[in-house]
Amino acid sequence: AVNGSRLWQSLMDMAQIGATPKGGVCRLALTDLDKQGRDLFVQWCEEAGCTVSVDKMGNIFARRPGRDDSLPPVIMGSHLDSQPTGGKYDGVYGVLAGLEVVRSLNDMNYVTEAPVEVAVWTNEEGSRFAPAMVSSGVFAGVFDLDYGLSRADLDGKTMGEELARIGYAGDREVGGRKVGAYFEAHIEQGPILEIEGKTIGVVTDCQGQRWYEITFTGQEAHAGPTPMVRRKDALLGAARVVDAVNRIGMKYGPLACATVGLMQIHPNSRNVIPGRVFFTVDFRHPDDAILAAMDGELRTEVERIAGEIGLETDFQQIWYYAPIKFDETCVAAVRKGVERTGHSFRDIVSGAGHDACYLSKVAPTAMVFIPCIDGISHNEVEETTPEWSTAGCEVLLHAVLDRANA
Amino acid sequence: AVNGSRLWQSLMDMAQIGATPKGGVCRLALTDLDKQGRDLFVQWCEEAGCTVSVDKMGNIFARRPGRDDSLPPVIMGSHLDSQPTGGKYDGVYGVLAGLEVVRSLNDMNYVTEAPVEVAVWTNEEGSRFAPAMVSSGVFAGVFDLDYGLSRADLDGKTMGEELARIGYAGDREVGGRKVGAYFEAHIEQGPILEIEGKTIGVVTDCQGQRWYEITFTGQEAHAGPTPMVRRKDALLGAARVVDAVNRIGMKYGPLACATVGLMQIHPNSRNVIPGRVFFTVDFRHPDDAILAAMDGELRTEVERIAGEIGLETDFQQIWYYAPIKFDETCVAAVRKGVERTGHSFRDIVSGAGHDACYLSKVAPTAMVFIPCIDGISHNEVEETTPEWSTAGCEVLLHAVLDRANA
Ligand SMILES: NC(=O)NCCC(=O)O
Ligand SMILES: NC(=O)NCCC(=O)O
């Protein structure tokens, strides 16, 4: 019922924008390349007969009218921004699978009861601007608009400024409207489906997350004449926290994840003892109580390590959301879609955060996963297959029809 | 015999160029600010009647003729480049104390037997371009000219390109001439003189150094859905090496120093397991055998850590010099200068590397240290006092006269 090769071709076309040498994509949120990706998406949607609107967070909505256009829409979506060395599918797949559903409905001259929309959420990755999923969070009322627009990158540029600069500061209010259902298709970004030979993941839950920003301040001094015992080496402290974060992740395994992904060293000179280090911690677990225990251990470790070296500490938890359960009716709609299309499947908990996590606060929500090769994502070599891509889109179509015609 | 307030004023004037908010200096080698500092020095030297020449490494020599100008010169000098967050005295003090010796000789209409020169060595710090002391090293024949000119910063710009850009690629051959003696005045950059209440350090030795560049390559992957046991986290490896480097430094203490000052994380994104980390190690010890033992332990630790995480390793020792003993006649000249001026003193081993280390390979060499407050250097708060500054310059003058009239 869907045109899998058209979907694949669109994925490949979008992947040209910000293409990297190793076959990946660098299309950071609200850069010129992000604008190019958005423009291409908008053009495709208009060619498909949709009406396009943009809200104040730069979220894009392409609407295909329903028979009763006053009904709340069923929204499909995800994001077009990527990691610095990201892949071709993370986010883009959910957006373009949504577009393919619209194109397929057009091919069939099929009119749904409720309107159907395809959404692009701004800055899902949380790489250029932290936290992740900030604009779907504003849509869901989890963050207020000022918070969203004032998120700044490491150079101090805000999302508000950058939205205006690339021409995607829309005039539509963010959220505050009824959504009939929200479906997001995505690559799994982990190894489970591929290992078990399943084509579709019916996502029932998302694990919770806590993100931290830590700054250690010690004292810059000369690497030569400064005795070891007089040093206040901020990098030594940060290094010990990296090791502690790993220990915490292993201790609460196999489901816990614990990562230090970003670190900035000052002054970052070979023969200077680092005086200041800024770094981040990313904790995840499907059980909120365990996530809280991990939080407690991190605080204890950071205090102990700072104490033993004599560092000043600035410790901030900058982001937290509890594990999320998706809507039973929407999960059932996905499951029905799997049954109708006959693909192999299993229920799965998402390890990554998705815009669906926040949409679930204001709309019945579920997700469809497809495998990615070796479970690798946030990497230029991220890969999936045309067959899996088509299968996920078929399931998405059926789930959307189920809810749009309910 | 010297004009201490003129010297202090020159230090303060030079410190305007690249001044930082916290009272320090950022004047990285071969930047526009380094050019401004060089231009001011050249202007001052010409005003003092010196003839200025520049060699192919950008080393500057300001010459005051001797009675017998065919005698090999006595050279005083140090460097004008700084760390990214450096102080006002590191290097600059030795250059301007040399200039003050020349100005004082002018005031007294004193003609030395041998000519006297003030030298500025290019890129002593080793911060923008590694290794340190590279241009005095070329002067001394330790490095060849091509090696010196091809040193590149982290953006890939070479010293040769940057010398040409700022107009300091001179036409004089580098080194290859007889030097009667070399004296370098410098702040101690460590705490010993101040703790013991001594004004002058008679530097007898410099500890040896080994510098390393290490790259760990693992696999970038998503911080959420990637189980801990499947990870190849390059930052976890680097963090464990930072801790190991500290352990090695402590083990061979109190004289050993061991530092990781620079680290670059790729892709440096909060929710991506780091796939590649580049970092440096700086080892020092006054005993070459112990420095070799530290080297052995580092190699073992790096291999063990890479093995336990599954990382690929690129390990390079990029710089090594054995501990250095200064020339007895020059050290005696410094000691005589201390006796004549009556300042308190002690013999001392330099913890930092200095251009004097390489000059000692081709000329009788010694150094004069003055205290710096709290032993802090390579820091914007680096400080000394006008009294110490004057005292060191007096000793330098006497030592130079001893050798230039020998
Ligand atoms: N799906 C995805 O990569 N989201 C980024 C936010 C996160 O790190 O969970
Ligand atoms: N004196 C000084 O700071 N030299 C820099 C080279 C080194 O790190 O030893």
Side-chain angles (χ1 to χ4, degrees):
Chain A
V2 305
N3 185 335
S5 58
R6 177 170 56 191
L7 169 54
W8 193 257
Q9 188 57 51
S10 294
L11 285 164
M12 296 305 115
D13 290 346
M14 186 61 82
Q16 297 297 311
I17 301 172
T20 59
K22 291 186 197 155
V25 168
C26 176
R27 201 167 52 227
L28 295 175
L30 307 186
T31 55
D32 292 351
L33 290 169
D34 187 15
K35 175 191 163 49
Q36 283 180 41
R38 289 161 173 265
D39 289 350
L40 181 60
F41 170 74
V42 167
Q43 178 199 320
W44 282 339
C45 291
E46 286 174 347
E47 285 166 8
C50 295
T51 312
V52 174
S53 63
V54 179
D55 73 17
K56 291 180 174 169
M57 284 305 299
N59 298 319
I60 308 172
F61 302 93
R63 184 178 175 101
R64 183 176 191 271
R67 205 197 47 77
D68 179 355
D69 215 43
S70 70
L71 288 172
V74 173
I75 305 184
M76 303 166 283
S78 196
H79 59 97
L80 292 176
D81 67 319
S82 84
Q83 292 287 334
T85 48
K88 298 189 280 289
Y89 310 98
D90 174 2
V92 186
Y93 175 67
V95 171
L96 297 185
L99 175 61
E100 177 53 37
V101 166
V102 166
R103 287 170 167 170
S104 300
L105 293 175
N106 288 348
D107 291 346
M108 299 182 284
N109 287 314
Y110 189 106
V111 181
T112 51
E113 275 297 301
V116 164
E117 295 184 11
V118 186
V120 172
W121 307 104
T122 299
N123 186 49
E124 190 270 352
E125 290 291 355
S127 180
R128 180 173 177 199
F129 304 98
M133 298 131 57
V134 65
S135 307
S136 51
V138 176
F139 186 93
V142 175
F143 304 126
D144 63 30
L145 182 63
D146 284 351
Y147 175 87
L149 294 176
S150 63
R151 293 308 86 207
D153 67 11
L154 293 174
D155 297 329
K157 291 196 185 123
T158 65
M159 286 186 60
E161 287 160 19
E162 289 293 275
L163 276 168
R165 189 183 67 77
I166 68 164
Y168 273 89
D171 47 22
R172 195 166 177 184
E173 292 307 317
V174 187
R177 60 181 173 121
K178 224 171 136 42
V179 176
Y182 178 73
F183 291 101
E184 183 163 351
H186 210 283
I187 56 167
E188 179 197 342
Q189 310 188 280
I192 299 171
L193 294 176
E194 194 190 30
I195 287 174
E196 299 193 1
K198 308 292 191 195
T199 300
I200 298 295
V202 177
V203 187
T204 57
D205 300 78
C206 288
Q207 53 185 354
Q209 292 199 45
R210 290 177 185 262
W211 280 17
Y212 305 86
E213 291 183 354
I214 304 172
T215 304
F216 276 150
T217 306
Q219 185 174 48
E220 282 163 38
H222 197 303
T226 310
M228 298 304 287
V229 293
R230 281 175 76 101
R231 298 178 174 211
K232 293 181 181 171
D233 183 338
L235 180 57
L236 179 63
R240 288 183 179 163
V241 174
V242 170
D243 204 30
V245 162
N246 187 262
R247 271 199 310 278
I248 295 169
M250 295 296 281
K251 172 173 169 183
Y252 292 100
L255 294 182
C257 282
T259 310
V260 177
L262 183 147
M263 192 178 280
Q264 293 184 300
I265 293 100
H266 301 270
N268 217 27
S269 183
R270 294 161 196 252
N271 44 1
V272 184
I273 299 160
R276 193 171 78 250
V277 175
F278 170 84
F279 61 104
T280 63
V281 176
D282 172 321
F283 272 173
R284 316 205 180 192
H285 204 280
D287 179 338
D288 202 34
I290 296 187
L291 197 56
M294 293 166 69
D295 173 89
E297 291 203 23
L298 178 65
R299 288 171 197 269
T300 306
E301 286 293 285
V302 167
E303 203 177 309
R304 181 184 65 73
I305 290 164
E308 75 197 11
I309 304 176
L311 303 172
E312 281 172 39
T313 307
D314 183 65
F315 183 100
Q316 309 279 347
Q317 179 184 290
I318 62 147
W319 193 36
Y320 162 64
Y321 66 88
I324 280 151
K325 240 195 161 27
F326 285 136
D327 176 74
E328 280 180 22
T329 316
C330 286
V331 172
V334 172
R335 209 169 270 129
K336 272 188 264 173
V338 178
E339 277 157 25
R340 280 198 196 125
T341 54
H343 297 298
S344 60
F345 77 102
R346 61 162 277 166
D347 287 1
I348 195 165
V349 176
S350 174
H354 296 285
D355 296 303
C357 297
Y358 282 142
L359 264 293
S360 75
K361 308 286 180 197
V362 289
T365 294
M367 290 189 75
V368 180
F369 272 3
I370 59 169
C372 59
I373 299 202
D374 292 331
I376 292 295
S377 182
H378 287 191
N379 187 316
E380 292 164 81
V381 304
E382 177 185 278
E383 205 41 85
T384 187
T385 68
E387 294 69 34
W388 291 332
S389 162
T390 305
C393 188
E394 285 168 3
V395 173
L396 179 67
L397 170 68
H398 283 284
V400 166
L401 288 182
D402 183 89
R403 292 292 82 207
N405 296 330
Chain B
V2 304
N3 186 336
S5 58
R6 178 171 56 192
L7 168 55
W8 192 257
Q9 189 55 50
S10 295
L11 285 164
M12 295 306 114
D13 290 346
M14 186 60 82
Q16 298 296 312
I17 300 172
T20 60
K22 291 186 195 156
V25 168
C26 177
R27 201 167 52 227
L28 295 176
L30 307 186
T31 56
D32 292 351
L33 289 169
D34 187 15
K35 174 191 163 51
Q36 282 180 43
R38 289 162 173 264
D39 288 350
L40 181 59
F41 170 75
V42 168
Q43 178 199 321
W44 282 340
C45 291
E46 288 173 346
E47 286 165 7
C50 295
T51 312
V52 174
S53 63
V54 179
D55 73 18
K56 290 180 174 169
M57 284 305 299
N59 299 318
I60 308 172
F61 302 93
R63 183 178 176 102
R64 183 176 192 269
R67 203 196 49 76
D68 178 355
D69 215 41
S70 70
L71 287 172
V74 172
I75 305 184
M76 304 167 282
S78 195
H79 59 97
L80 292 176
D81 67 318
S82 86
Q83 291 287 333
T85 48
K88 298 189 281 290
Y89 309 98
D90 175 2
V92 186
Y93 174 67
V95 171
L96 297 185
L99 175 62
E100 177 52 37
V101 166
V102 166
R103 287 170 167 171
S104 299
L105 294 175
N106 289 348
D107 291 347
M108 300 183 282
N109 287 313
Y110 188 106
V111 182
T112 51
E113 276 296 302
V116 163
E117 295 185 13
V118 185
V120 172
W121 307 103
T122 299
N123 187 50
E124 190 272 351
E125 290 292 355
S127 180
R128 181 173 177 200
F129 304 97
M133 297 133 56
V134 65
S135 307
S136 51
V138 177
F139 186 93
V142 175
F143 305 125
D144 62 30
L145 181 63
D146 283 351
Y147 175 86
L149 294 175
S150 63
R151 293 309 86 208
D153 67 11
L154 292 174
D155 297 329
K157 291 195 184 123
T158 65
M159 287 186 62
E161 287 159 20
E162 289 293 274
L163 276 169
R165 190 185 66 78
I166 68 165
Y168 274 89
D171 47 22
R172 196 167 174 183
E173 292 307 317
V174 188
R177 58 182 174 121
K178 222 171 138 42
V179 177
Y182 178 74
F183 290 102
E184 182 164 351
H186 209 284
I187 56 167
E188 178 195 344
Q189 311 186 278
I192 299 171
L193 293 175
E194 195 190 29
I195 286 174
E196 298 192 2
K198 308 291 192 198
T199 300
I200 298 295
V202 177
V203 187
T204 57
D205 299 78
C206 288
Q207 53 186 355
Q209 293 199 45
R210 290 178 185 261
W211 280 17
Y212 305 87
E213 291 184 353
I214 304 172
T215 303
F216 276 151
T217 305
Q219 184 174 48
E220 284 164 36
H222 197 304
T226 309
M228 298 304 288
V229 292
R230 282 176 75 100
R231 297 177 174 211
K232 293 179 181 172
D233 184 338
L235 180 56
L236 179 63
R240 288 182 180 164
V241 174
V242 170
D243 205 30
V245 162
N246 187 261
R247 270 199 311 278
I248 295 170
M250 296 296 280
K251 172 172 169 185
Y252 292 100
L255 293 183
C257 282
T259 309
V260 176
L262 183 148
M263 192 179 278
Q264 293 184 301
I265 292 98
H266 301 270
N268 217 28
S269 183
R270 293 160 197 253
N271 44 0
V272 183
I273 299 159
R276 193 171 78 250
V277 176
F278 169 85
F279 61 105
T280 62
V281 175
D282 171 321
F283 272 172
R284 315 203 181 194
H285 204 281
D287 178 338
D288 202 34
I290 296 188
L291 198 56
M294 293 167 69
D295 173 88
E297 291 204 21
L298 178 65
R299 289 171 196 268
T300 305
E301 286 293 285
V302 167
E303 202 177 311
R304 181 184 65 72
I305 289 164
E308 76 198 9
I309 304 175
L311 303 173
E312 280 172 41
T313 307
D314 182 66
F315 183 100
Q316 308 280 347
Q317 178 183 292
I318 62 148
W319 193 36
Y320 163 63
Y321 66 89
I324 279 152
K325 237 191 166 30
F326 285 136
D327 175 73
E328 279 180 24
T329 316
C330 287
V331 172
V334 172
R335 209 169 269 130
K336 272 188 262 173
V338 178
E339 276 157 26
R340 278 195 198 125
T341 54
H343 297 298
S344 60
F345 78 101
R346 62 162 277 165
D347 286 1
I348 194 164
V349 175
S350 175
H354 296 285
D355 296 303
C357 298
Y358 282 142
L359 265 292
S360 75
K361 307 286 180 198
V362 288
T365 292
M367 291 189 73
V368 180
F369 272 3
I370 59 169
C372 60
I373 299 202
D374 292 330
I376 292 295
S377 182
H378 287 192
N379 187 316
E380 291 165 83
V381 306
E382 176 186 278
E383 205 41 88
T384 187
T385 69
E387 294 69 33
W388 290 333
S389 160
T390 304
C393 188
E394 285 167 4
V395 172
L396 179 66
L397 170 67
H398 283 284
V400 166
L401 288 182
D402 183 90
R403 293 291 82 206
N405 295 329

